Amino acid sequence: MTPPYYTSSHWGSYRFESGQLVPVDTDPFPSDIGKSWLEGTQDKSVRIARPAIRKGWLEHKDRNRTGDAEFVEVPWDEAIDITAQAFQHTITHYGNQAIFGGSYGWASAGRFHHAQSQLQRFVNVIGGASFKKNTYSHAGAEVLFPHIFGDHFMKVMAQATSWNHITSHCELIVAFGGITPRTAQVASGGVARHHVSGHIEMLAQKGVRMVNISPLQSDLEAGEWLSIRPGADRAMMLALAYVLFDSGLADLEFLERCTSGWQKWRAMVMGEADGQPKTPHWAAGICDIPEQDIIALAHDMAHHRTLINMAYGPQRAERGEETLWACINLAATLGQIGQKGTGFAFGAGSMNSSSRPVKTRSWPALPTGTNPVKSFIPVARVTEMLEQPNSPFIYDGRQYTYPDIKLVIWSGGNPFHHHQDLFRLEAAWQKPECVIVTDHSWTATARRADIVLPASSPLERTDIMMQYRECDIVYMRPVLPRFEDSKDDYQIFSALAEKMGVGEAFTENRSEADWLAFLWADAQQKHPQLPDFESLQASGIIHLEDSVCDQDFLGAFVSDPQGHRLGTPSGKIEVASETIASMKLDDLGATPSWTAPDEWAYNAEDMLHLISPQPQFRLHAQNDSAGLSKASKINGREPCYIHPDCAARHQLSEGDIALIENHRGRTLAGVIITAQVRPDTIVLPTGAWMETRTLPDGKLEIHGNPNVLTPDKGSTSLSQGNPAHTALVRLSRWTDPLPEITVFNSPVFVPRSR
Ligand SMILES: Nc1nc2c(c(=O)[nH]1)N[C@H]1C(S)=C(S)[C@@H](COP(=O)(O)OP(=O)(O)OC[C@H]3O[C@@H](n4cnc5c(=O)[nH]c(N)nc54)[C@H](O)[C@@H]3O)O[C@H]1N2
Ligand SMILES: Nc1nc2c(c(=O)[nH]1)N[C@H]1C(S)=C(S)[C@@H](COP(=O)(O)OP(=O)(O)OC[C@H]3O[C@@H](n4cnc5c(=O)[nH]c(N)nc54)[C@H](O)[C@@H]3O)O[C@H]1N2
Ligand SMILES: [Mo]
């Protein structure tokens, strides 16, 4: 009997049957994203078939890394030789810190073939590399939470109020940025059962009031919509707190018992600190929510069991961590933190794994060793690092220095999708001596590399999906043969390590099968109830008892603040922080306040806010060439969503192509007209593969990639997180002939010159 074939991804787990990927039976709300996975993986025109070296670099080491470069295909042994030499050259002449191995991105969900882990292990055995801290997802929260809650971000998130408690006990959900099944399709490390839709349905059936405070109605369809101006949440939060203090509804007992610095916070809210009382009237003029609605909502919050959720999105914005802090302070002022199903949540719908705390379940990971190099960047400071080697930067209150990078290696990530201000990145990208990419597809980043090494895809390998919040373990079998001459990242780094004389240190003489057995043995040690490896292989999927724990965020602390002191200097929730104040940052003080973002449509009338959310039909830029994503495009471009009034003002009709531009860049997107978005806001989801044309008046991105428009600067100097959701743009109809999209065709391959 042939064993069952299962595989898994960040968007779901599948059985492979009659040539199709069928979502596992246990998944109540399978994601659509998987529908195009097989097709995308088999797309010959986007897959990288053989090692390829950019011709200009191969022949005269030029750094002209543009999207339309020509490549020379070379045999593997030559590619490995050249790549190993590039590493060796960098190490010999500049030292290991001149290698950038930060390589952010969302490659495979498998535990072994996780591209970043493989890369990290490789660079560690060759002496280390400069690296990155934090994520594009929530750098603001990662740096802020230790100061406010006194613990590591992941540990704070592990204490989240469980969905079961929310659905059982909550009477009012106030959701900044919504709670949407769109983003809950995904979780880092894999999904087996999607559950957020079920909880939202349950809340709707119970008639729980849900308030979606967002520029986009679909962020919580089942909710009432308060259409807030992007970037203005902090003003609304301050005003809600104002009503609570002003009406005697603030829980002073909670503030006194469980928080530190609340008088400073109240002084900021009431205007004693800066002369501006944060009244609903004041806030209404900023956030565009009527004064009466703010007052009414504050009263409802105080009179109901209320959960305040903030999606990750509003935090990926200018001063995003300050908004998050204000949200925490609002919840503290309400005083319901620690009670059943209420209080504060972060990103309850931003990932499938959010608000799903489990009893400690740790899974093995590929051991990556230690990195002897200490230089790092906050993840989204990559352009600045390349532009300004040896210059200082501030991060979490300390000053560091950017490394002088000569070699960049990226595995399993796509900076020409995920980074902001991509034309600026493209210019900075010409600075290193060598850029190496391993990927399975000719992404915008691969096209801008010197050495491109074809990785196999997750559908072509054996692996294990063990996600820490899931109760299913999937033994991933290859459902396709490895594409053409592609190799696993493990094979690629093994060959490179071998060439550089550290082969054994990298492989420990283990094959893929040995590593999987090794990881499984580690899992068994952590969880003795797990069956042996052969049983895992035979069954393909193992269902464990669901260890979700029903708990409330900071429940233990709130019931006994002295007995369960937090790890903050005060032992309490810091609604004002002396530590942050002592950093003397230009852009963040002792307690959250309001400053308008630098880009603020209120002051610039012909400008519109651009927000660039996660795409409905893809994971970021993955499988953008395949059916599901392609079918959503308009004339081949990513659709943008605009309000009917906005469309009328700019003489745009449904299906037109819009030119969206600002001082950083410009892009072409298809037009969808909907009353679900604010009239002053354009929604252009992220992830269209960047393709540029150089016109007489400058560069044009032709595919609808929002990141040629978004700003590249730290959200604040505390976290230096990315501010992707803060940008102003102009909108007009594109009337010139439409440039053809060619980014889904293979690059041009040429023979090397004699
Ligand atoms: N404007 C805007 N920008 C954003 C965001 C936004 O909301 N708006 N969101 C940000 C966020 S939260 C994130 S997390 C980032 C995501 O940014 P990325 O993670 O960089 O985006 P992906 O497209 O998922 O890139 C993953 C890459 O890994 C490759 N890959 C997959 N499997 C393998 C493998 O086994 N081996 C190798 N070598 N490669 C593999 C895929 O082909 C793909 O190119 O984007 C950020 N950028
Ligand atoms: N389908 C799909 N799901 C995904 C991903 C994907 O690529 N595709 N990526 C995953 C990843 S890596 C991450 S980190 C999470 C991210 O999860 P989120 O960050 O929650 O997702 P976003 O769509 O960026 O943002 C959520 C919403 O915030 C709203 N928003 C933007 N700016 C503002 C603002 O100023 N104020 C308010 N109130 N709302 C605002 C937008 O309308 C947006 O729809 O999503 C995950 N889920
Ligand atoms: Mo993310």
Side-chain angles (χ1 to χ4, degrees):
M1 207 181 86
T2 51
Y5 267 64
Y6 287 95
T7 191
S8 189
S9 66
H10 301 292
W11 52 83
S13 296
Y14 300 86
R15 203 172 59 247
F16 187 58
E17 211 175 82
S18 319
Q20 299 291 321
L21 291 176
V22 184
V24 291
D25 302 334
T26 40
D27 190 348
F29 299 97
S31 156
D32 278 341
I33 294 175
K35 288 181 181 165
S36 272
W37 190 19
L38 256 182
E39 183 204 328
T41 302
Q42 292 173 295
D43 184 343
K44 286 197 160 60
S45 55
V46 303
R47 285 298 298 268
I48 306 170
R50 277 166 290 282
I53 306 203
R54 197 168 55 75
K55 184 165 182 278
W57 187 85
L58 183 64
E59 293 178 353
H60 35 84
K61 295 281 182 287
D62 80 24
R63 301 180 190 182
N64 194 19
R65 301 179 181 109
T66 52
D68 54 0
E70 295 177 333
F71 284 84
V72 178
E73 293 189 319
V74 301
W76 265 111
D77 52 357
E78 190 181 351
I80 293 294
D81 269 352
I82 293 174
T83 313
Q85 275 168 28
F87 275 107
Q88 204 53 65
H89 173 87
T90 308
I91 294 168
T92 308
H93 291 268
Y94 309 108
N96 279 75
Q97 82 291 340
I99 300 171
F100 184 67
S103 186
Y104 181 77
W106 273 61
S108 169
R111 291 261 105 180
F112 176 59
H113 292 289
H114 181 245
Q116 281 83 30
S117 307
Q118 293 286 350
L119 170 61
Q120 192 65 59
R121 185 174 165 86
F122 166 71
V123 294
N124 286 351
V125 300
I126 62 167
S130 294
F131 61 104
K132 61 101 180 46
K133 286 193 182 177
N134 307 132
T135 65
Y136 274 74
S137 312
H138 34 51
E142 287 164 67
V143 181
L144 181 74
F145 279 7
H147 295 296
I148 306 305
F149 296 125
D151 212 340
H152 186 271
F153 173 76
M154 293 300 280
K155 289 194 174 156
V156 174
M157 294 300 277
Q159 298 176 56
T161 301
S162 60
W163 265 113
N164 288 342
H165 273 199
I166 297 172
T167 45
S168 306
H169 303 286
C170 193
E171 296 170 339
L172 169 60
I173 294 186
V174 177
F176 291 93
I179 298 178
T180 166
R182 168 174 53 81
T183 46
Q185 292 180 90
V186 165
S188 169
V191 173
R193 305 176 193 211
H194 290 87
H195 60 88
V196 172
S197 296
H199 291 295
I200 294 176
E201 276 176 20
M202 217 182 294
L203 288 163
Q205 272 166 18
K206 284 179 68 178
V208 172
R209 180 170 176 220
M210 293 182 264
V211 182
N212 175 32
I213 304 173
S214 173
L216 184 61
Q217 186 173 17
S218 62
D219 281 341
L220 182 48
E221 301 255 20
E224 285 162 43
W225 184 30
L226 292 183
S227 164
I228 194 166
R229 176 174 280 135
D233 302 75
R234 216 162 51 255
M236 173 143 179
M237 291 161 179
L238 284 156
L240 288 165
Y242 181 94
V243 179
L244 297 178
F245 281 119
D246 191 50
S247 316
L249 296 170
D251 190 336
L252 301 184
E253 187 274 330
F254 179 90
L255 288 170
E256 182 61 33
R257 199 165 57 84
C258 298
T259 74
S260 155
W262 70 268
Q263 290 89 347
K264 248 193 191 134
W265 160 244
R266 188 180 61 176
M268 184 58 76
V269 169
M270 303 314 286
E272 292 147 20
D274 62 354
Q276 174 59 65
K278 311 299 180 303
T279 62
H281 178 75
W282 163 84
I286 296 170
C287 67
D288 199 27
I289 306 283
E291 181 182 353
Q292 284 315 315
D293 288 358
I294 299 175
I295 297 170
L297 182 61
H299 282 264
D300 271 4
M301 288 164 71
H303 293 118
H304 292 92
R305 305 183 56 82
T306 302
L307 177 78
I308 307 173
N309 177 70
M310 186 169 129
Y312 298 166
Q315 166 250 201
R316 287 201 306 284
E318 192 178 313
R319 297 174 188 268
E321 58 265 55
E322 191 177 1
T323 302
L324 180 60
W325 194 3
C327 190
I328 295 162
N329 287 6
L330 171 62
T333 308
L334 199 59
Q336 298 191 24
I337 293 174
Q339 295 176 26
K340 273 198 162 48
T342 63
F344 165 76
F346 180 51
S350 298
M351 299 253 183
N352 184 58
S353 50
S354 302
S355 299
R356 201 179 182 287
V358 291
K359 295 183 195 104
T360 318
R361 183 187 277 165
S362 71
W363 292 124
L366 181 71
T368 53
T370 46
N371 186 357
V373 173
K374 295 296 161 238
S375 62
F376 75 95
I377 58 164
V379 67
R381 296 276 52 83
V382 59
T383 298
E384 215 166 272
M385 167 188 80
L386 296 174
E387 285 173 346
Q388 300 168 28
N390 306 315
S391 311
F393 66 93
I394 305 284
Y395 169 76
D396 201 10
R398 290 182 61 183
Q399 184 172 309
Y400 300 89
T401 305
Y402 287 125
D404 186 357
I405 296 300
K406 303 294 183 188
L407 182 150
V408 171
I409 176 154
W410 225 286
S411 289
N414 186 355
F416 281 91
H417 150 256
H418 67 230
H419 194 58
Q420 286 58 60
D421 201 351
L422 287 176
F423 290 168
R424 184 174 154 204
L425 174 63
E426 190 165 48
W429 199 248
Q430 320 291 320
K431 294 190 81 174
E433 292 182 357
C434 180
V435 175
I436 303 163
V437 164
T438 79
D439 201 304
H440 53 64
S441 295
W442 280 108
T443 62
T445 303
R447 285 161 196 272
R448 286 166 178 77
D450 303 321
I451 304 176
V452 179
L453 303 174
S456 57
S457 89
L459 285 176
E460 296 155 1
R461 301 181 298 232
T462 313
D463 213 330
I464 309 174
M465 187 284 276
M466 298 178 257
Q467 209 270 5
Y468 63 120
R469 303 265 174 82
E470 291 286 341
C471 54
D472 306 279
I473 296 174
V474 178
Y475 185 69
M476 299 162 63
R477 282 178 191 274
V479 303
L480 296 170
R482 286 186 181 80
F483 183 76
E484 303 258 339
D485 272 358
S486 65
K487 287 185 192 292
D488 305 344
D489 293 283
Y490 180 61
Q491 295 174 313
I492 297 172
F493 292 123
S494 300
L496 279 174
E498 179 71 41
K499 196 86 216 170
M500 296 176 72
V502 287
E504 229 184 280
F506 180 76
T507 63
E508 296 181 33
N509 291 320
R510 290 194 180 105
S511 65
E512 174 196 67
D514 296 335
W515 275 110
L516 292 174
F518 167 85
L519 290 172
W520 189 251
D522 188 6
Q524 279 183 304
Q525 202 162 35
K526 293 184 162 100
H527 308 282
Q529 80 277 25
L530 288 177
D532 60 22
F533 192 52
E534 288 69 33
S535 309
L536 170 72
Q537 290 174 306
S539 60
I541 190 162
I542 291 177
H543 307 294
L544 302 172
E545 193 191 335
D546 192 0
S547 75
V548 70
C549 46
D550 286 323
Q551 64 177 30
D552 302 290
F553 182 55
L554 300 187
F557 161 73
V558 171
S559 63
D560 177 12
Q562 283 312 317
H564 293 94
R565 282 175 65 87
L566 301 182
T568 53
S570 62
K572 298 179 177 182
I573 303 169
E574 304 233 333
V575 298
S577 162
E578 292 310 321
T579 311
I580 293 176
S582 71
M583 294 175 186
K584 303 208 179 318
L585 305 175
D586 295 339
D587 44 12
L588 190 62
T591 195
S593 172
W594 168 255
T595 314
D598 283 348
E599 298 193 23
W600 186 234
Y602 204 54
N603 303 330
E605 281 197 348
D606 63 330
M607 303 296 276
L608 297 158
H609 289 281
L610 172 78
I611 54 173
S612 47
Q614 304 291 8
Q616 168 79 24
F617 298 117
R618 304 181 288 269
L619 176 63
H620 313 131
Q622 298 187 36
N623 296 314
D624 188 34
S625 70
L628 192 71
S629 181
K630 235 177 188 166
S632 74
K633 307 228 173 189
I634 293 176
N635 238 323
R637 328 286 133 161
E638 188 69 18
C640 68
Y641 301 83
I642 56 173
H643 188 273
D645 295 351
C646 175
R649 223 166 44 241
H650 296 92
Q651 281 134 39
L652 283 160
S653 309
E654 180 99 3
D656 279 352
I657 297 297
L659 173 68
I660 312 175
E661 59 188 323
N662 61 19
H663 61 287
R664 286 177 290 267
R666 46 186 182 158
T667 186
L668 300 180
V671 171
I672 292 183
I673 300 176
T674 168
Q676 286 206 322
V677 51
R678 284 175 58 84
D680 63 359
T681 300
I682 302 182
V683 177
L684 176 60
T686 186
W689 286 21
M690 170 164 156
E691 175 164 8
T692 57
R693 290 281 185 281
T694 304
L695 306 182
D697 59 343
K699 251 195 237 179
L700 171 72
E701 203 284 326
I702 63 169
H703 197 193
N705 185 318
N707 278 329
V708 300
L709 303 164
T710 51
D712 177 9
K713 59 176 184 179
S715 53
T716 76
S717 48
L718 180 76
S719 76
Q720 301 280 6
N722 82 81
H725 280 308
T726 308
L728 287 186
V729 293
R730 276 184 305 276
L731 178 66
S732 59
R733 191 146 57 94
W734 178 261
T735 49
D736 288 356
L738 259 188
E740 187 195 346
I741 302 285
T742 61
V743 73
F744 296 138
N745 305 338
S746 326
V748 175
F749 297 114
V750 291
R752 80 189 78 185
S753 315
R754 294 268 134 222

